[in-house]
Amino acid sequence: MKKLFVSVPMRGRTEEAIRASIEKMKKIAEICEGEALELIDTYIEDNPPENIPNQGVWYLAKSLEMLAEADVFIGIDDSWNWKGCEAENSIASAYGIKNYRIRAEYVIDNYNALLNSVCEEAVPTNL
């Protein structure tokens, strides 16, 4: 059975919301592939060691270990808003992993509100 890697934004979302998006994306990938796929569980429950200054890179490294096992990749189309998702998308393409992209608002409830909250975090307040 082919293994599926699902790349989905996690920052600012509950585990329940993340897993719901993963399941939606899995169903879409299975329709595209025309067969059942084995899901690589990309939800990382571990926390980085306290001495890690860039925790996002630690999480990305863990997900890339899992991506190495994938036959098929599905991610969000507008991943530029999410650094880890963008990196995963780029790496899957660069290494020839069969991939699909889906618009985020199709698989993430309240996507616009989530995007706005993330963008507000990114805007410097001292300007």
Side-chain angles (χ1 to χ4, degrees):
M1 181 179 289
K2 293 179 187 173
K3 290 186 175 186
L4 174 67
F5 182 98
V6 176
S7 175
V8 64
M10 296 188 183
R11 183 177 41 158
R13 303 180 68 211
T14 65
E15 180 179 351
E16 179 182 353
I18 292 165
R19 291 196 183 277
S21 294
I22 289 171
E23 282 304 313
K24 289 177 188 177
M25 293 174 80
K26 180 180 186 281
K27 288 177 185 175
I28 292 167
E30 288 177 331
I31 291 168
C32 292
E33 285 293 296
E35 64 183 283
L37 301 169
E38 180 183 339
L39 180 66
I40 298 169
D41 187 2
T42 57
Y43 186 83
I44 300 169
E45 294 186 21
D46 295 339
N47 292 316
E50 290 181 23
N51 64 339
I52 300 290
N54 194 331
Q55 295 183 354
V57 174
W58 184 89
Y59 283 109
L60 179 59
K62 294 290 185 189
S63 73
L64 293 180
E65 286 181 26
M66 293 181 263
L67 180 57
E69 301 175 22
D71 300 298
V72 180
F73 171 94
I74 188 167
I76 58 170
D77 211 18
D78 46 358
S79 61
W80 56 269
N81 295 310
W82 312 94
K83 294 179 276 189
C85 292
E86 179 64 18
E88 292 164 350
N89 284 342
S90 295
I91 291 166
S93 293
Y95 282 85
I97 298 170
K98 186 172 186 181
N99 62 74
Y100 300 96
R101 306 280 167 78
I102 187 77
R103 292 181 56 104
E105 56 267 21
Y106 296 160
V107 293
I108 298 175
D109 294 337
N110 301 316
Y111 178 68
N112 289 329
L114 177 64
L115 182 59
N116 287 337
S117 70
V118 169
C119 289
E120 287 173 5
E121 290 175 17
V123 175
T125 57
N126 60 347
L127 295 178

